[in-house]
Every structure is written in structure tokens, then in C-alpha cells.
Amino acid sequence: FPSHDTFGFNVNGFDLNDMFGSIFGQQTQNPFRQNSPVFRTNVTLSLLDTYNGVTKQLHLQTQTGPKLASIEVPKGIKNGDQMRYDNILPNGILIVEYGVMPDLKFDRRGNDLYCNYSISVLDLIVGTSFNFVTISNKTLEVTVKPKPQPHMQLKIKGEGMPIHGTNMYGDQIILLQPYIPDNIDESITQSILQSKTK
């Protein structure tokens, strides 16, 4: 598990931290002792939480009674990820398992985000553009080139989820879902057909 403290050193059952402490006449505190109590809890996040990274307040029941703890959730956490925190509880280890709620607009697949966008078959044939709002709340103009093929997808580079532990981001994938308008003007249909035959 990722840790917010330095690692202890143990070789063949000998705790080198204790040995160094004895040599230099001081007691070294090692948060990784096997007899340290381990506390586990679950935290539920929204997809936006995992995009931005958040601070969460936890109400924990410990051996000494209830405790309010504050933890930092890094960007890019995925559903089912676990993190280990060593500086939250006195003489104890906290392990947090994260759950991420489904989002109404974005579907996370790895570090990429997918979403559907309904588009008229007429716009798909002649080409069009539309405004798309990313998870970071940026409004981008997306262009659809004339290409009468169903199941098209558009990629916006670097507008997906942050990749945990890096400064990189996944991509935003827009899945175009063609539909036939209820009322199609015959003159528009003829104009499209003529433009395609030229």
C-alpha cells in the first residue's frame, strides 16, 4: 500500500531501525511494527472527487474510542483501490478501500473517459460541430467531419482521468450515437443527396 511515512528496514527478523537507535543512544519509532493495530474502513467517492483529489473527514472507532481523522485522497484513485496511511492514528495503521460511484455522464475505462453524444444522421453526413463540456468543466468545440458511418468515436487527448502518481491524463472518448430526426424536410434530403453525388 502507498504510505505517508518512511519505510522501516527489517533483515532476517532484525529491525535495523531499533539497532541504529541503540547504537546512537535514541529510540526510533517504527510505524511498521507487526504489532501495530490495523484499522480498515471504506470511503465512497464521486468520479469528480477522483478527478480533483479531495480531503475526507472520517469518523473512526478505535481502541481508545471514537476519533475524527482527515485523509488526503490523491487524484486518479480507482474503484477498489486501497491506500495505507501511517500518520493518521497514534501507534496504528489505517487502511482505506475506495469505492467510486457511477457517473451519469462519464464512464471510466482505465484512465480514459467515455460518454455518448446523440447526433442527427443529417449532421453526420454533412459534418457539424458542437460544444462539449469536459469533466474539468472546460467547454471545447468538437468538429465532426462529413463521414456517413455509424458508431463513430472522437478522441480528445488529455481530457480523461489523471493517471495516479504521474502528471499525465487519459483521453476523453465521445461515442457518436446517430438518430433519425422525426421531421426531415424533403428539400434538405434532396440537397444532401445531390451534394453526395457531385
Side-chain angles (χ1 to χ4, degrees):
F1 299 111
S3 171
H4 289 270
D5 207 330
T6 57
F7 284 97
F9 297 93
N10 188 290
V11 179
N12 294 331
F14 293 97
D15 192 329
L16 298 186
N17 282 331
D18 284 348
M19 184 179 71
F20 293 148
S22 299
I23 292 173
F24 294 102
Q26 61 184 5
Q27 183 68 31
T28 303
Q29 296 295 325
N30 182 7
F32 293 89
R33 293 183 187 279
Q34 291 184 356
N35 60 357
S36 296
V38 176
F39 300 88
R40 296 179 179 271
T41 190
N42 298 315
V43 172
T44 301
L45 305 169
S46 68
L47 187 63
L48 192 59
D49 286 339
T50 66
Y51 181 85
N52 293 317
V54 292
T55 300
K56 286 288 184 180
Q57 301 294 326
L58 304 181
H59 296 272
L60 302 172
Q61 289 295 331
T62 70
Q63 293 174 332
T64 58
K67 177 177 174 56
L68 180 64
S70 177
I71 61 170
E72 297 295 328
V73 181
K75 296 179 180 181
I77 285 291
K78 297 178 182 177
N79 186 53
D81 279 355
Q82 294 185 353
M83 285 198 67
R84 173 175 175 161
Y85 297 85
D86 296 302
N87 291 334
I88 302 298
L89 300 173
N91 302 318
I93 297 167
L94 176 63
I95 296 177
V96 179
E97 180 171 344
Y98 290 103
V100 182
M101 296 182 295
D103 189 82
L104 294 178
K105 179 178 179 179
F106 300 104
D107 177 26
R108 180 174 185 173
R109 304 179 192 176
N111 294 306
D112 296 334
L113 292 176
Y114 285 72
C115 71
N116 295 325
Y117 183 83
S118 296
I119 183 171
S120 162
V121 291
L122 302 181
D123 287 335
L124 194 60
I125 291 171
V126 300
T128 187
S129 63
F130 60 89
N131 288 333
F132 179 82
V133 181
T134 68
I135 191 172
S136 62
N137 206 34
K138 282 193 287 189
T139 300
L140 302 176
E141 184 178 22
V142 178
T143 299
V144 181
K145 296 180 180 180
K147 190 175 183 182
Q149 294 182 6
H151 311 302
M152 284 182 58
Q153 65 181 38
L154 307 174
K155 178 190 291 186
I156 307 178
K157 192 75 174 173
E159 292 297 336
M161 294 297 294
I163 300 174
H164 180 52
T166 74
N167 293 322
M168 301 174 65
Y169 287 75
D171 301 325
Q172 170 66 63
I173 310 297
I174 303 173
L175 304 175
L176 298 179
Q177 305 293 320
Y179 69 90
I180 300 175
D182 293 333
N183 299 312
I184 301 179
D185 188 284
E186 185 175 346
S187 62
I188 296 178
T189 305
Q190 291 299 322
S191 175
I192 292 174
L193 291 175
Q194 289 173 6
S195 68
K196 299 304 292 182
T197 55
K198 289 180 180 180

